[in-house]
């Protein structure tokens, strides 16, 4: 089976950069995946794409050296199995708030006897190779999103779930669940909670990923010990690049209108 380079980078202690796709376009996916990210994730939770477009985006990522991953909409076992069948090499699952959800998530990602994934590998086989079925349990990544106060209250049990490869922190939902604003993740109670999650996950040798609002924050997170960082999403990067192009082109007195809000 084609190796999972994200897993291999994790095992060899190399940092992992992850692109994040919300724009429903296989062309945009191909452009982003060609820029040097180690992984690229199609975001079905907050992205604007449906299943068919997500599959075309996975195909586009697959012709680059980036590892194709998906964030599913929720802990929805049939959807997760179908996304793996579509060729996702890693699933990031939102709101894994309890050990029961963590178990159900791993079950959806793994073939029996380890889990309950149904057989029908479809594109997974085309991308992974003829021995996909024999090795899929070892190569595909199950990353549980820790993004609520409830998940923190059950953190140790969630992280002890057998078969879980790692975690991915959603700092904005985590902040909201603690009564704070999105974007407040670098300090205070949210900052402390993120440090606690990182410590608990690293103690168990789990892959630790996190969404970051900027490249500077992504760099900081790598320095703190995160293995995988997402330095913003496609819409955000596209918007800010356009803004800088305009600012580089025009002097302040020539600027006729201010930028509207940048996509998130
Ligand atoms: C969050 O910050 O809650 C996320 O899910 C990031 O994508
Ligand atoms: Mg979230």
């Amino acid at each position: 089976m084609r190796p999972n380079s994200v897993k291999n980078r994790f095992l060899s202690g190399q940092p992992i950069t992850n692109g994040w796709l919300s724009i429903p376009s296989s062309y945009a996916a191909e452009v982003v995946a060609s820029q040097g990210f180690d992984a690229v994730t199609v975001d079905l939770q907050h992205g604007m794409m449906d299943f068919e477009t997500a599959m075309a985006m996975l195909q586009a990522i697959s012709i680059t050296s980036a590892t194709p991953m998906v964030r599913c909409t929720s802990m929805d076992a049939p959807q997760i199995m179908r996304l793996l069948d579509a060729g996702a090499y890693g699933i990031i699952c939102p709101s894994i708030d309890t050990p029961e959800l963590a178990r159900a998530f791993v079950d959806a990602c793994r073939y029996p006897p380890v889990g309950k994934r149904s057989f029908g590998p479809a594109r997974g086989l085309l991308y992974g190779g003829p021995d996909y079925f024999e090795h899929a349990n070892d190569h595909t990544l199950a990353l549980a999103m820790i993004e609520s106060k409830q998940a923190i209250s059950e953190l140790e049990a969630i992280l002890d779930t057998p078969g879980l490869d790692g975690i991915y922190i959603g700092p904005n939902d985590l902040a909201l669940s603690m009564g704070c604003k999105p974007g407040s993740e670098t300090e205070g109670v949210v900052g402390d909670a993120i440090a606690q999650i990182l410590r608990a996950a690293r103690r168990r040798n789990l892959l630790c990923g996190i969404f970051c609002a900027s490249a500077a924050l992504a760099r900081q997170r790598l320095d703190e010990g995160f293995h995988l960082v997402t330095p913003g999403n496609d819409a955000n990067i596209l918007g800010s690049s356009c803004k800088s192009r305009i600012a580089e082109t025009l002097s302040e007195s020539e600027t006729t209108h201010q930028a509207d809000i940048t996509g998130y």
Side-chain angles (χ1 to χ4, degrees):
M1 181 173 162
R2 184 198 296 253
N4 186 331
S5 60
V6 168
K7 189 165 182 178
N8 290 344
R9 285 183 75 83
F10 166 60
L11 294 174
S12 60
Q14 293 171 286
I16 302 156
T17 55
N18 175 45
W20 198 259
L21 303 175
S22 67
I23 299 171
S25 158
S26 57
Y27 177 44
E30 189 179 354
V31 171
V32 172
S34 300
Q35 302 314 312
F37 287 112
D38 302 305
V40 172
T41 299
V42 180
D43 179 15
L44 279 160
Q45 185 190 20
H46 291 296
M48 300 292 122
M49 68 291 290
D50 58 16
F51 183 88
E52 263 183 44
T53 306
M55 193 193 70
M57 293 168 77
L58 289 171
Q59 290 174 309
I61 299 164
S62 300
I63 63 164
T64 74
S65 53
T67 298
M69 308 216 297
V70 166
R71 172 162 75 173
C72 54
T73 54
S74 60
M75 184 29 244
D76 173 346
Q79 186 200 58
I80 290 170
M81 293 182 200
R82 217 163 154 231
L83 289 166
L84 290 167
D85 292 345
Y89 254 35
I91 304 281
I92 297 176
C93 185
S95 299
I96 297 296
D97 293 336
T98 65
E100 291 74 26
L101 280 169
R103 181 69 253 166
F105 174 44
V106 172
D107 277 349
C109 293
R110 307 283 187 241
Y111 286 121
V114 180
K116 297 181 182 159
R117 182 177 170 193
S118 175
F119 183 78
R123 220 198 131 251
L125 195 66
L126 298 181
Y127 178 68
D131 56 348
Y132 178 85
F133 172 70
E134 283 76 24
H135 300 290
N137 280 357
D138 295 326
H139 287 272
T140 48
L141 289 168
L143 305 178
M145 286 197 73
I146 305 295
E147 50 181 351
S148 73
K149 225 168 133 172
Q150 190 191 355
I152 290 176
S153 71
E154 303 205 60
L155 187 62
E156 304 292 324
I158 292 172
L159 299 187
D160 280 340
T161 305
L164 193 67
D165 294 294
I167 55 131
Y168 186 86
I169 298 179
N172 298 303
D173 281 318
L174 184 61
L176 286 176
S177 83
M178 301 181 106
C180 304
K181 289 196 172 130
S184 60
E185 73 260 35
T186 51
E187 52 203 29
V189 284
V190 189
D192 293 346
I194 289 174
Q196 179 196 342
I197 300 165
L198 176 64
R199 276 195 306 273
R202 282 192 64 104
R203 263 204 309 277
R204 292 165 173 85
N205 261 336
L206 292 170
L207 188 159
C208 301
I210 186 165
F211 187 86
C212 307
S214 67
L217 188 51
R219 179 67 253 172
Q220 181 188 318
R221 294 305 189 192
L222 288 175
D223 294 339
E224 287 168 5
F226 280 91
H227 306 104
L228 177 150
V229 290
T230 307
N233 77 9
D234 52 358
N236 186 268
I237 294 169
L238 179 62
S240 53
S241 303
C242 291
K243 263 199 271 189
S244 350
R245 283 296 165 104
I246 295 167
E248 284 163 25
T249 306
L250 296 178
S251 70
E252 222 168 283
S253 63
E254 288 171 318
T255 305
T256 47
H257 47 256
Q258 292 302 311
D260 296 324
I261 193 156
T262 304
Y264 199 78

